[in-house]
Amino acid sequence: MTIKLYFLGTGGWVGPAFRTYSSIALKVNENIYLLDVGESSFKNLQKTCLNPLNITAIFLTHAHGDHILSLPTYVINLGALGYERVLKIIAPKWVKESIRNLLDLITNLKVKVEVKLLEGYDGELAFDNGEVKVWSYRAKHIENSLMYKIHVKNKLTIVYTGDTAPNKTLEEIVKDADVLIHEATFMWGFEKMAHSAGHSTIHDAIKLALKMNVKKLILTHIGFTLKLPGSFKVGKTVVYVPNELDVISL
Ligand SMILES: [Zn+2]
Ligand SMILES: [Zn+2]
């Protein structure tokens, strides 16, 4: 079984030019699961070796544009490519209107889209296709935003925070995670500013990984920071700071 993460966009809405907007492709065997689809996500996917026809589901964390604006681009391009599956979009129920408005931008919708709206309680089963099982939890960002715990059957567990300030629920779900993909919008030292904006710092992410013994921490949604190395070790935790289109094998 091959499990890989493709970083299609590693920045937030405000950030350096070389980081585009939030999007990660999780590839399990041939299937592709997208975690958020910020602007330019589809274009970046085209730059990889990934086949868009293998997209199985799109998971959205919240309705900020840096996480959802590629949605119509995916649907229109998948239609043009002859996508014959039903495109599954999983999102919190409060995003319903935003998804509808984005899909309304498409004049000729050729792809069958199935939107699963989540109630938004902690531990809600979001998806299960026998290969990957996903639960959702409330993030501490805008009022209606989610974090996802993804279990690749018999292999490993990944937690994806989306946008969030540090919170107790995240600490709980990270306990049994092998990989933590954590937002790191702010530099260390800017905790007060980050938390009041519903975000985290690099320091918050590392502190959590160390406390919960997470072996692999991946930082993403990175804002303006000093230049960071691609990877470094803190205690027993390996910290990755992927650039655009980097691939991490799990
Ligand atoms: Zn964001
Ligand atoms: Zn956001």
Side-chain angles (χ1 to χ4, degrees):
M1 181 182 260
T2 55
I3 308 171
K4 288 181 181 180
L5 292 166
Y6 291 73
F7 290 84
L8 306 179
T10 59
W13 239 344
V14 181
F18 67 92
R19 292 195 186 276
T20 62
Y21 304 106
S22 276
S23 189
I24 300 164
L26 164 67
K27 183 169 180 273
V28 180
N29 297 321
E30 287 312 308
N31 290 326
I32 299 166
Y33 305 87
L34 292 167
L35 309 176
D36 285 324
V37 287
E39 207 179 326
S40 70
S41 167
F42 185 80
K43 280 288 156 201
N44 290 342
L45 183 102
Q46 284 183 307
K47 293 172 193 162
T48 69
C49 61
L50 295 171
N51 182 351
L53 297 179
N54 290 332
I55 292 172
T56 302
I58 298 176
F59 296 87
L60 303 175
T61 54
H62 62 297
H64 277 160
D66 57 327
H67 296 253
I68 65 168
L69 281 177
S70 271
L71 204 54
T73 315
Y74 270 98
V75 176
I76 200 112
N77 277 281
L78 290 179
L81 290 167
Y83 187 81
E84 285 177 348
R85 304 159 77 167
V86 176
L87 180 65
K88 293 194 169 68
I89 299 170
I90 295 103
K93 63 179 178 184
W94 314 281
V95 175
K96 187 179 173 189
E97 203 62 9
S98 304
I99 293 175
R100 218 185 51 132
N101 290 338
L102 285 169
L103 295 183
D104 276 352
L105 297 173
I106 302 163
T107 45
N108 185 7
L109 190 69
K110 286 189 187 144
V111 172
K112 275 201 184 115
V113 176
E114 184 186 295
V115 183
K116 176 169 179 173
L117 296 170
L118 302 171
E119 290 299 316
Y121 58 85
D122 288 340
E124 182 174 0
L125 182 65
F127 181 84
D128 186 4
N129 67 349
E131 178 178 65
V132 163
K133 195 169 181 178
V134 182
W135 299 264
S136 65
Y137 302 83
R138 291 295 275 269
K140 198 175 173 186
H141 184 50
I142 50 172
E143 198 186 337
N144 306 318
S145 47
L146 297 179
M147 311 180 280
Y148 289 109
K149 182 163 90 173
I150 303 144
H151 181 63
V152 182
K153 295 267 167 81
N154 305 321
K155 281 291 173 187
L156 49 82
T157 302
I158 301 163
V159 168
Y160 172 53
T161 64
D163 289 0
T164 191
N167 64 83
K168 207 74 200 154
T169 310
L170 179 56
E171 223 175 279
E172 285 296 315
I173 60 174
V174 160
K175 261 182 199 160
D176 55 354
D178 302 286
V179 181
L180 171 60
I181 306 171
H182 200 303
E183 73 119 289
T185 311
F186 287 79
M187 276 293 283
W188 50 82
F190 288 84
E191 280 70 27
K192 207 173 162 191
M193 193 188 286
H195 301 172
S196 66
H199 283 292
S200 300
T201 67
I202 292 167
H203 181 252
D204 289 325
I206 293 174
K207 201 167 77 176
L208 176 66
L210 288 177
K211 186 176 175 189
M212 304 322 266
N213 295 314
V214 178
K215 287 176 221 84
K216 280 185 183 168
L217 168 67
I218 302 171
L219 303 179
T220 190
H221 200 278
I222 294 166
F224 289 102
T225 60
L226 297 174
K227 201 164 162 40
L228 295 163
S231 71
F232 54 96
K233 227 173 159 190
V234 186
K236 286 179 183 159
T237 301
V238 183
V239 185
Y240 297 88
V241 189
N243 275 314
E244 302 285 298
L245 304 180
D246 276 1
V247 183
I248 296 177
S249 295
L250 302 176

